[in-house]
Amino acid sequence: MLRLSKLADYATVILSFMAKDQARIAAAVEIALATGISLPTVSKILKLLVNAKVLTSTRGAKGGYFLAREPSAISVADIISALEGPIALTECSLSKQTCEQASGCGIRGNWHLINQTIYNALESVTLADLIRPVVSPEEISIPLASLYHSH
Amino acid sequence: MLRLSKLADYATVILSFMAKDQARIAAAVEIALATGISLPTVSKILKLLVNAKVLTSTRGAKGGYFLAREPSAISVADIISALEGPIALTECSLSKQTCEQASGCGIRGNWHLINQTIYNALESVTLADLIRPVVSPEEISIPLASLYHSH
DNA sequence: TGATTGAAGACTATTTTAGTCCTATTTAAA
DNA sequence: TTTAAATAGGACTAAAATAGTCTTCAATCA
């Protein structure tokens, strides 16, 4: 299904909630209550987002979490990679030299291009976009094919 | 990691092998030997590709598998969806009405757009492209962002 | 009719992902 | 200075998805 992990999905819900009142610092418990996601899980996600510098935290009483930057400066790619690590469809796209499968690894070079395309797609959409009312596109087209076929 | 399943990855290897000598009919055993993937696994993948109408098969002695159409008419999206089902990052993008999570589902509408973008990217690359020598792109850009920001 | 090959699906094992919990550290306020 | 409220880090368990194998049946050709 080429699926997003549940955790990454939750992360977008959490961040969307936080982005609505950007200035405010929110504690994990509060976020758990607001989103309906269990506290331990919320905590885990928040920690990962802090490590990825998407959120900033302050400890102690009255502490909590807040966005490290503007929603428009937080991409979907940032969110996904915070939770799941680098965005790539295939292993060998991450480390070009290690991939030495029997027969057919020359084949994979082009996967790198596909990965890059998908990354760019995810990088181009931000948290600010996600909390905006839904747009209904007529048609979306990607110029990737032209890279291949224009010769 | 937003990762492709191993099976889908194998499928691209198998199909790349088959595309190199398109006219020829190849038995599962033969493909297994050529690719180094175990026979039961190869068989499983081939069957899924037949169901998805990417391959055609003939039974019996001298039977085997061959491409159902030109490599240029088989997209990466075809291959992935044959193995993993519909391409979508989030569940709710598949069935719009079922998604009624507590707080924040209005948020998800835009995921639909992202899914569509990724699907288009995968649809635009074909098996013929995959077996072609690697191209090294300078920069690839996706116009998705403009859909959001042009207002 | 027998050998060869695919079809279908059940089943098991493995790996990944999700989810929870415990302990330590930091900070604000009484 | 003590206490309560938070996060940090990481170990651990449970659940789910994925990968892989096996068995039985059906078709085709010589």
Side-chain angles (χ1 to χ4, degrees), chain A residues 12 16 76 121-122 125-137 140, chain B residues 89-90 92-93 96 104-118 144 147-148 151:
Chain A
T12 64
S16 296
V76 171
L122 295 174
V125 184
T126 72
L127 183 54
D129 299 321
L130 285 185
I131 61 177
R132 202 167 294 173
V134 177
V135 295
S136 56
I140 313 164
Chain B
L89 291 185
T90 49
C92 61
S93 299
K96 291 174 207 168
C105 206
I107 293 159
R108 316 294 186 76
N110 289 306
W111 275 110
H112 198 62
L113 184 56
I114 298 174
N115 282 322
Q116 187 62 45
T117 304
I118 288 176
L144 176 61
L147 269 164
Y148 286 110
H151 58 266

Side-chain angles (χ1 to χ4, degrees), chain B:
Chain B
M1 231 265 304
L2 201 68
R3 138 190 108 75
L4 200 66
S5 70
K6 265 196 194 176
L7 258 40
D9 195 17
Y10 292 163
T12 64
V13 174
I14 291 171
L15 289 171
S16 297
F17 166 74
M18 295 179 77
K20 280 170 191 162
D21 191 357
Q22 221 189 119
R24 206 161 59 79
I25 185 167
V29 199
E30 189 182 347
I31 295 168
L33 285 171
T35 58
I37 303 165
S38 78
L39 178 57
T41 300
V42 166
S43 293
K44 184 178 190 172
I45 293 166
L46 291 171
K47 280 175 228 165
L48 288 168
L49 290 169
V50 169
N51 289 339
K53 303 199 192 314
V54 170
L55 293 179
T56 306
S57 62
T58 48
R59 289 186 174 192
K62 311 251 168 150
Y65 299 87
F66 54 95
L67 298 186
R69 48 186 188 276
E70 296 278 298
S72 63
I74 296 173
S75 71
V76 171
D78 290 336
I79 302 171
I80 294 177
S81 56
L83 278 286
E84 304 185 11
I87 291 169
L89 291 185
T90 49
E91 295 293 341
C92 61
S93 299
L94 292 175
S95 54
K96 291 174 207 168
Q97 71 287 0
T98 32
C99 181
E100 204 51 70
Q101 294 271 62
S103 78
C105 206
I107 293 159
R108 316 294 186 76
N110 289 306
W111 275 110
H112 198 62
L113 184 56
I114 298 174
N115 282 322
Q116 187 62 45
T117 304
I118 288 176
Y119 180 81
N120 287 344
L122 295 173
E123 181 68 27
S124 72
V125 184
T126 72
L127 183 54
D129 300 321
L130 285 185
I131 61 179
R132 201 167 294 173
V134 178
V135 296
S136 57
E138 302 309 314
E139 182 96 352
I140 313 164
S141 64
I142 302 283
L144 176 61
S146 61
L147 269 164
Y148 286 110
H149 300 301
S150 66
H151 58 266

Side-chain angles (χ1 to χ4, degrees), chain A residues 35-149:
Chain A
T35 58
I37 304 165
S38 78
L39 178 58
T41 299
V42 166
S43 293
K44 184 177 189 172
I45 294 166
L46 291 170
K47 281 176 226 167
L48 288 167
L49 290 169
V50 169
N51 288 340
K53 302 202 193 311
V54 170
L55 293 179
T56 306
S57 63
T58 49
R59 289 190 173 189
K62 311 252 166 150
Y65 300 88
F66 54 95
L67 299 186
R69 48 187 189 275
E70 295 278 299
S72 64
I74 296 173
S75 71
V76 171
D78 290 335
I79 301 170
I80 294 177
S81 57
L83 278 287
E84 304 184 12
I87 291 169
L89 291 185
T90 51
E91 295 291 343
C92 62
S93 298
L94 292 175
S95 54
K96 292 173 207 169
Q97 71 286 0
T98 32
C99 181
E100 203 52 71
Q101 295 272 61
S103 79
C105 206
I107 292 159
R108 318 294 188 77
N110 289 307
W111 275 111
H112 198 63
L113 185 55
I114 297 173
N115 282 322
Q116 186 64 44
T117 304
I118 288 176
Y119 180 80
N120 287 343
L122 295 174
E123 181 68 28
S124 72
V125 184
T126 72
L127 183 54
D129 299 321
L130 285 185
I131 61 177
R132 202 167 294 173
V134 177
V135 295
S136 56
E138 302 309 312
E139 183 95 349
I140 313 164
S141 65
I142 302 283
L144 177 62
S146 62
L147 270 164
Y148 286 111
H149 300 301

